[in-house]
Amino acid sequence: MLRPWKLEIQLNTNTDKAIYLQIADAIIEAIKTGILNSGNALPGSRQLAGLLKVNRNTVIEALDILIAEGWLITIERKGTFVADILPLSTENTNQQQKTDLIKEEIQPLIVFDDGIPDSRIAPMNELARAYRQIFNRKSRWQIMGYSTEFGNLEFRKAIVQMLNFKRGMNITPDEICITRGSQMAMYLTANCLLAQGDYVMVENPGYKPAWETFENAGAQLLPVNIDKEGLLIEEVEEHLKNHQNIKAIYVTPHHQYPTTVTLSLKRRLKLVELSNQYNFTIIEDDYDNEFHFGQRPILPISSYSNAKNVIYIGTLSKIVAPALRIGYLVSNAENILKVGKHRKMIDVQGDNIMEEAVLQLINEGEIKRHLKRTTLIYKAKRDYFEMICNKHLKNKVTFIKPEGGLAFWIVPNPNINILEIADKLLLKGIKIITPEKFSFGKPISGFRLGYASLTEKQLEEGIIELAKYL
């Protein structure tokens, strides 16, 4: 019969520390002080849960951590025992190991992403129907062969028509390449435009995956700060005066990532003027153009007739669903030929069947109807999110309701440690993106909260918890 352990664990429900962590720490303390020795048996999880008056799953979580850290071992059909060889680490190291393990183990119930659409309202039935119809056509054998590296021609024509009609552009099908999402478009742009030693100006704060792509192509980054009107043009001019090999600037002018501000018309025009004068390329990432709730969206920089050096990147992933990997890259025909040549090295062609299916939804008007529905849904959810932020975060943060996009930029009052807050929220099952994810160098003060993929209940629960730590 297993020797019972004299149970002396006091649990505190009025602290931020999770119950399962309190149990784990109490067992570790019992081992360190000699109350429990190597080889001693612990009560079973059911018995331990009953003695502590907690859910059995809570006890199992605590035991799993102790087993993973090496304090306990399990022997099949016998039970759980204190390990013969105990962890030899300092208190600080042990605590860090526990913290890292906790972060890996916790599956948050509420995730404030960076502005991902709600996949629950994606037109999946319509897309599935289009797929079936394509495969049932008599000429279905034709779509199973190779296509062009630039994307299905009819699909390109449809995207060109949309860009010309809705975004004021004036392009032809030979000036666009369909990609597997905007990140591939970014990779192709970087590898066709940049060389070792080139400089690229980037927004700070900004989109780090793009920065990493540019650096991977051999470029060095020059940060440009953001204010309420977007990119600080005087800093752009300063970089141009001090560096000879500036090849490009990467911007998100419509809804700046992550702050959501819109680049003012005056600064747009000056940026185009500088681009023409210094012969650098404007890489314009228009990642969420479709979701604009004001009177009308501002036209892309790439639509300006005097913009000579531009590359425009867009995506359909936010219109339909994140898993739909269809993006596009627009530039002059010469650049598109370079892009196509490089694309064939990594991906002979795109997803021709998916392009055919989405094209069918475009031609049937389903994409237009879906976009109209979702825009109304997201606008209502944005207004609701503004209301609960004003209600629960008043006098604790500052923010401006965005005119578009699927996220808010929240700036807490001074002297707030956002990393500590993020750790505390994670223990409560809530995850936020911390500033280092979009900061160049020293993390800025602010965090981006995506609202589109969460329910109204989840949004309020998350903001109420956030308010407790601000």
Side-chain angles (χ1 to χ4, degrees):
M1 182 175 178
L2 297 176
R3 180 168 67 85
W5 172 39
K6 185 179 179 181
L7 190 71
E8 292 182 356
I9 296 180
Q10 301 296 323
L11 300 177
N12 184 357
T13 58
N14 296 319
T15 180
D16 291 335
K17 192 173 187 179
I19 295 297
Y20 72 94
L21 293 179
Q22 294 182 46
I23 296 171
D25 285 344
I27 294 174
I28 291 173
E29 186 62 24
I31 294 172
K32 286 182 175 181
T33 57
I35 296 173
L36 283 174
N37 297 304
S38 295
N40 286 168
L42 269 70
S45 58
R46 291 184 189 278
Q47 183 184 359
L48 193 51
L51 292 169
L52 294 173
K53 296 181 174 57
V54 298
N55 188 287
R56 184 188 174 212
N57 289 335
T58 301
V59 172
I60 291 173
E61 282 188 272
L63 296 178
D64 284 346
I65 286 179
L66 295 172
I67 292 168
E69 290 183 355
W71 295 101
L72 303 178
I73 59 171
T74 58
I75 300 176
E76 190 175 357
R77 298 181 182 179
K78 290 187 177 182
T80 302
F81 300 82
V82 178
D84 293 331
I85 302 176
L86 298 173
L88 300 175
S89 58
T90 65
E91 187 67 27
N92 288 340
T93 301
N94 185 52
Q95 184 61 40
Q96 184 60 50
Q97 288 175 340
K98 286 191 293 182
T99 301
D100 292 342
L101 185 61
I102 293 163
K103 289 181 179 180
E104 291 178 7
E105 291 287 330
I106 292 176
Q107 294 297 321
L109 300 175
I110 299 175
V111 177
F112 285 100
D113 53 49
D114 67 350
I116 296 174
D118 190 348
S119 58
R120 291 167 297 189
I121 58 177
M124 299 312 299
N125 292 334
E126 293 81 359
L127 191 61
R129 171 180 51 79
Y131 250 79
R132 289 193 299 271
Q133 291 178 357
I134 289 169
F135 276 105
N136 287 333
R137 291 172 186 165
K138 291 183 179 180
S139 58
R140 61 184 180 272
W141 58 270
Q142 294 177 333
I143 64 173
M144 300 306 291
Y146 283 116
S147 179
T148 170
E149 64 271 24
F150 303 108
N152 179 283
L153 178 58
E154 295 305 315
F155 185 65
R156 278 186 284 150
K157 287 179 180 179
I159 301 299
V160 164
Q161 183 180 30
M162 179 271 291
L163 294 176
N164 289 345
F165 181 71
K166 292 188 174 181
R167 303 187 194 176
M169 299 173 73
N170 183 25
I171 61 172
T172 59
D174 63 346
E175 294 175 310
I176 186 170
C177 179
I178 307 300
T179 62
R180 293 186 191 267
S182 59
Q183 194 59 37
M184 175 186 272
M186 200 76 63
Y187 174 84
L188 292 170
T189 296
N191 283 273
C192 292
L193 181 67
L194 304 174
Q196 195 73 32
D198 286 340
Y199 287 98
V200 177
M201 295 179 286
V202 297
E203 300 164 328
N204 181 39
Y207 187 55
K208 269 197 173 179
W211 303 354
E212 293 165 354
T213 303
F214 301 143
E215 288 179 316
N216 186 66
Q220 300 178 58
L221 306 181
L222 299 171
V224 180
N225 290 311
I226 301 293
D227 68 8
K228 62 182 180 180
E229 293 187 45
L231 201 71
L232 292 174
I233 293 296
E234 56 268 30
E235 292 189 12
V236 173
E237 292 185 275
E238 194 66 26
H239 283 317
L240 291 168
K241 291 174 183 177
N242 295 331
H243 298 86
Q244 296 296 317
N245 294 335
I246 294 182
K247 200 64 172 287
I249 185 169
Y250 170 74
V251 291
T252 52
H254 196 208
H255 305 131
Q256 198 273 334
Y257 183 94
T259 67
T260 77
V261 301
T262 298
L263 184 61
S264 68
L265 178 60
K266 180 180 178 180
R267 295 187 186 183
R268 287 166 181 255
L269 294 173
K270 184 61 178 179
L271 183 61
V272 171
E273 178 187 323
L274 291 172
S275 170
N276 293 339
Q277 178 184 347
Y278 288 91
N279 196 34
F280 65 87
T281 299
I282 299 172
I283 304 172
E284 181 176 17
D285 186 353
D286 205 1
Y287 64 95
D288 64 357
N289 182 284
E290 293 79 12
F291 301 115
H292 191 81
F293 312 125
Q295 292 297 318
R296 59 179 292 176
I298 295 177
L299 294 178
I301 295 173
S302 301
S303 69
Y304 296 4
S305 59
N306 64 329
K308 299 176 182 177
N309 308 305
V310 291
I311 292 177
Y312 182 79
I313 293 173
T315 179
L316 295 183
S317 298
K318 281 187 167 57
I319 299 177
V320 184
L324 179 70
R325 306 310 301 157
I326 295 184
Y328 48 87
L329 186 161
V330 176
S331 189
N332 59 56
E334 182 181 355
N335 282 340
I336 293 299
L337 286 175
K338 293 178 183 177
V339 166
K341 183 177 180 180
H342 193 87
R343 195 253 176 86
K344 289 189 76 171
M345 298 179 191
I346 59 171
D347 188 19
V348 176
Q349 65 174 51
D351 189 339
N352 191 44
I353 302 173
M354 177 65 80
E355 292 172 19
E356 288 262 8
V358 175
L359 175 61
Q360 181 167 318
L361 297 187
I362 291 174
N363 292 336
E364 292 175 349
E366 184 55 47
I367 292 294
K368 183 178 180 180
R369 289 189 291 272
H370 173 70
L371 191 54
K372 186 175 181 179
R373 289 193 301 268
T374 54
T375 299
L376 291 174
I377 291 171
Y378 294 144
K379 183 177 185 295
K381 194 174 285 190
R382 177 204 62 168
D383 294 343
Y384 175 79
F385 193 55
E386 178 198 23
M387 183 272 291
I388 61 174
C389 285
N390 283 328
K391 178 180 178 181
H392 300 292
L393 301 179
K394 188 176 181 180
N395 300 324
K396 296 183 176 184
V397 304
T398 58
F399 68 90
I400 297 175
K401 180 169 74 171
E403 282 296 302
L406 304 178
F408 275 58
W409 177 248
I410 306 289
V411 179
N413 290 337
N415 303 318
I416 294 293
N417 189 322
I418 298 177
L419 288 175
E420 286 184 3
I421 291 175
D423 286 342
K424 291 176 180 178
L425 287 173
L426 192 57
L427 292 176
K428 297 285 188 177
I430 300 167
K431 184 176 182 179
I432 64 172
I433 302 174
T434 46
E436 79 279 359
K437 298 292 194 303
F438 33 69
S439 300
F440 191 99
K442 182 182 178 181
I444 64 165
S445 179
F447 43 93
R448 182 177 168 96
L449 300 180
Y451 62 84
S453 62
L454 296 173
T455 65
E456 290 187 355
K457 183 175 182 291
Q458 288 174 320
L459 289 172
E460 183 158 29
E461 287 178 357
I463 292 301
I464 287 173
E465 286 299 323
L466 175 60
K468 293 178 182 178
Y469 303 109
L470 291 174

